[in-house]
Amino acid sequence: ECAEQKKLPAAANALVRKFRDTPDERRVRPVHAQFSNGIRLDGFILPSQEVRAGEHIFLKLRWNVSGIESDYEPLAVWIHFLDAQGETVFQGDHGLVESLFMGSLPVNFAPDGFYRIQVPADTPPGEYRLQIGLWVPRSQKRLPLIVKPAEMPSDKHGVEIARVTVPGKFSD
């Protein structure tokens, strides 16, 4: 367990382990987006499209790295939550896939990346577009998206995979 996971209550840790370790292909929603370096985002699992401010949202991304270029640089995933005006309200950037060494990959290697994003406590209620892309931390450059899924909105660097709602606070 990582240090960040140790900070969670036991019930949350159990949920994290179950979500991360349980493959359920019926829940994978297809994406079919390809970035300029050959990496593809083939699908994702988002257990809930509603999350309260101050809580975590969990996301599993299915990557296919079999087409990666040989001059690999370490990559990171940017996960942005955009408001109706297209502004990033909150985000979570992570390594592509934890402990993944790209030097000697098997053919058609498709690792799952498990991501947990903290929704800031002061996030206004509303609907947010969940957009995913890749970037190179060393150069701070985003990788262009070269194959865009027809059924999902996308721009030059990222693809919108879902919409997430942050509900208003309940009054007692």
Side-chain angles (χ1 to χ4, degrees):
E1 291 182 326
C2 65
E4 186 178 324
Q5 194 172 347
K6 289 179 183 175
K7 295 177 188 174
L8 291 175
N13 274 328
L15 176 65
V16 167
R17 280 191 300 279
K18 180 179 179 187
F19 174 66
R20 182 188 59 213
D21 299 334
T22 306
D24 187 351
E25 296 304 316
R26 295 168 303 193
R27 295 182 356 190
V28 175
R29 293 171 48 192
V31 176
H32 309 299
Q34 184 172 340
F35 294 89
S36 62
N37 66 347
I39 292 180
R40 291 192 333 251
L41 175 59
D42 286 342
F44 71 98
I45 297 174
L46 181 65
S48 176
Q49 290 184 249
E50 182 174 293
V51 62
R52 297 199 180 290
E55 294 182 354
H56 291 94
I57 190 161
F58 299 96
L59 176 65
K60 187 183 283 190
L61 299 175
R62 169 73 41 89
W63 297 101
N64 186 312
V65 298
S66 61
I68 194 167
E69 297 172 353
S70 59
D71 58 343
Y72 164 77
E73 287 191 71
L75 297 172
V77 179
W78 55 265
I79 303 169
H80 290 183
F81 294 80
L82 311 174
D83 63 15
Q85 292 73 42
E87 298 296 319
T88 301
V89 177
F90 61 99
Q91 66 188 52
D93 293 353
H94 297 271
L96 179 62
V97 178
E98 296 298 325
S99 305
L100 178 63
F101 175 67
M102 305 297 249
S104 57
L105 297 175
V107 176
N108 295 323
F109 186 56
D112 287 341
F114 172 76
Y115 310 96
R116 183 180 62 178
I117 301 99
Q118 172 79 43
V119 179
D122 60 350
T123 302
E127 184 177 73
Y128 296 93
R129 299 183 342 237
L130 173 52
Q131 193 176 52
I132 306 293
L134 294 174
W135 63 289
V136 180
R138 190 173 58 112
S139 65
Q140 298 290 302
K141 292 188 177 176
R142 291 182 176 185
L143 285 147
L145 189 60
I146 60 169
V147 175
K148 300 175 181 180
E151 67 283 359
M152 295 179 169
S154 57
D155 61 22
K156 184 178 177 183
H157 295 105
V159 60
E160 179 183 318
I161 62 169
R163 295 196 178 230
V164 174
T165 300
V166 176
K169 296 186 184 204
F170 294 112
S171 56
D172 294 14

